[in-house]
Amino acid sequence: MAQVAVAHVAIALFFGIASSPALAKTECIGDGKYRVCTDSYTDAQGNLHIRSYDTEGNSYSVGTETRAFSGGGEEIISRDSDGNSYSVKSWSDSSGAHSEDSEGNSCTITTFGTIIGCGQ
């Protein structure tokens, strides 16, 4: 389950959330003795950090790191407090746009519009 959450954060970042301006936000839910809160912020490098905690002392966090490739493209790496990690690399070249994740999934959209991989 935690790995799915890490994957969702990485995918969300892949689609541009990391480019948002740095914002710190805290949200809490619950009215009685039990409450759950989530803090999130984007740091100066565009990396997203999320921490959830409750009134019973449980906590979970996930953070991302974006690395640029010298030849173009980037890799977004998500790591959580349970030791899970997930990464997505994306780049484009003369044959099209490509992405590949740490689980071996790949996706290419060629310059001719052909889709290769991409969950098909």
Side-chain angles (χ1 to χ4, degrees), residues 23 45 80 89:
L23 298 172
Q45 291 76 37
D80 72 10
K89 298 176 185 177

Side-chain angles (χ1 to χ4, degrees), residues 62-79:
V62 63
T64 65
E65 175 186 353
T66 303
R67 298 180 185 170
F69 298 134
S70 59
E74 66 182 13
E75 177 179 26
I76 299 172
I77 303 164
S78 296
R79 293 183 183 92

Side-chain angles (χ1 to χ4, degrees), residues 25-92:
K25 184 168 44 168
T26 300
E27 295 182 19
C28 295
I29 58 171
D31 293 328
K33 291 181 179 181
Y34 184 76
R35 291 177 53 87
V36 176
C37 297
T38 301
D39 299 330
S40 63
Y41 71 95
T42 303
D43 66 22
Q45 291 76 37
N47 300 315
L48 180 63
H49 303 273
I50 302 169
R51 179 177 69 108
S52 291
Y53 52 95
D54 67 14
T55 52
E56 294 179 353
N58 300 302
S59 65
Y60 175 78
S61 62
V62 63
T64 65
E65 175 186 353
T66 303
R67 298 180 185 170
F69 298 134
S70 59
E74 66 182 13
E75 177 179 26
I76 299 172
I77 303 164
S78 296
R79 293 183 183 92
D80 72 10
S81 56
D82 291 339
N84 299 302
S85 65
Y86 178 81
S87 68
V88 177
K89 298 176 185 177
S90 60
W91 70 97
S92 60

Side-chain angles (χ1 to χ4, degrees), residues 92-98 108-112:
S92 60
D93 57 25
S94 60
S95 64
H98 314 276
T108 296
I109 302 173
T110 69
T111 54
F112 300 108

